[in-house]
Amino acid sequence: NVAKIQTSEGAGSGFVIGHSDNQTYIMSNKHVVDFDKRVYIIWPDGSRNEGVVVASPRNSNLWKRGKASDFINDLALIRIQGIKGNALPIKNKNEIIGENVIAIGNPSFYDFTVTRGIVSGIREKGQLIQTDATINKGNSGGPLINSSGCVVGVISFITPDNVGLNFAVSSTRLLRFLNNFGYGYLQNNLSNDSTYEDNSL
């Protein structure tokens, strides 16, 4: 499930990646939560939960410099009490250039919007996914999903002077972050459905 992330400075997007011990874990961007330790998660049905930011990569605040390479650490893991939403499977290989993808998020107060595009490029040694799917302010932290329903990236930033030049932290970078912080097991808890286990992914 995709959710809206409300912070003291504004709002962005996030998505459920797993459940454990009656808790739900949600992925978003570091630049969405910034220095907030507590945020609000708003679900499509209008319900709300208070969330706690539990992990971000080292150098996650480098996004403020605005260079593409600085966004590879633009990740934040949020935890809430209770089981909410369905976890999205994360693809364990980078998507192929030219593949169809959709972006889901909350752009410019139009909550839970879906746009479509393709993977336009793989950048920064496989750590960033370039896409032409329409991305706007508020999409940050939402998932970029392939046609099999797997997350291939975490929507991170746009280049405002160039239409259709948008970027997401790649799924392989995301999985490495989760494994490094001891949260890789969250994906192991997912049912082994055919979309996640398909060797072509």
Side-chain angles (χ1 to χ4, degrees):
N1 279 47
V2 179
K4 184 175 182 178
I5 311 296
Q6 188 76 49
T7 73
S8 61
E9 299 296 325
S13 304
F15 58 96
V16 177
I17 62 163
H19 305 96
S20 180
D21 295 329
N22 198 39
Q23 297 172 322
T24 299
Y25 290 83
I26 298 158
M27 182 55 56
S28 187
N29 288 142
K30 175 63 174 178
H31 85 256
V32 169
V33 302
D34 201 5
F35 289 104
D36 285 4
K37 292 296 184 183
R38 295 186 179 275
V39 297
Y40 283 100
I41 311 300
I42 303 172
W43 303 96
D45 64 3
S47 62
R48 295 162 62 98
N49 292 95
E50 186 177 271
V52 178
V53 179
V54 294
S56 289
R58 183 182 300 176
N59 298 325
S60 58
N61 285 317
L62 288 182
W63 63 268
K64 295 183 179 185
R65 301 195 305 191
K67 298 192 302 182
S69 60
D70 294 331
F71 281 86
I72 62 174
N73 294 315
D74 187 20
L75 297 168
L77 184 63
I78 302 165
R79 182 180 65 210
I80 66 170
Q81 295 297 320
I83 304 297
K84 291 292 292 271
N86 296 312
L88 298 179
I90 301 169
K91 186 176 177 183
N92 56 15
K93 296 179 182 177
N94 278 338
E95 192 58 272
I96 300 171
I97 295 173
E99 288 295 312
N100 294 319
V101 289
I102 61 171
I104 307 177
N106 304 287
S108 302
F109 305 107
Y110 292 95
D111 294 351
F112 307 107
T113 294
V114 178
T115 58
R116 183 176 61 182
I118 63 169
V119 173
S120 305
I122 309 294
R123 309 296 179 195
E124 300 298 324
K125 299 180 179 179
Q127 298 181 98
L128 285 180
I129 304 294
Q130 179 186 332
T131 181
D132 66 349
T134 302
I135 305 294
N136 289 287
K137 186 178 180 180
N139 272 113
S140 293
L144 191 67
I145 300 175
N146 68 11
S147 56
S148 296
C150 291
V151 174
V152 300
V154 183
I155 299 165
S156 187
F157 75 106
I158 62 176
T159 53
D161 297 329
N162 298 282
V163 176
L165 195 56
N166 311 310
F167 296 88
V169 180
S170 72
S171 59
T172 53
R173 172 67 185 107
L174 169 56
L175 287 173
R176 193 164 71 250
F177 158 64
L178 292 175
N179 287 329
N180 287 345
F181 280 81
Y183 291 101
Y185 70 91
L186 292 172
Q187 283 286 298
N188 296 335
N189 289 347
L190 297 183
S191 61
N192 292 328
D193 62 36
S194 58
T195 57
Y196 184 65
E197 293 299 319
D198 187 343
N199 291 329
S200 67
L201 292 178

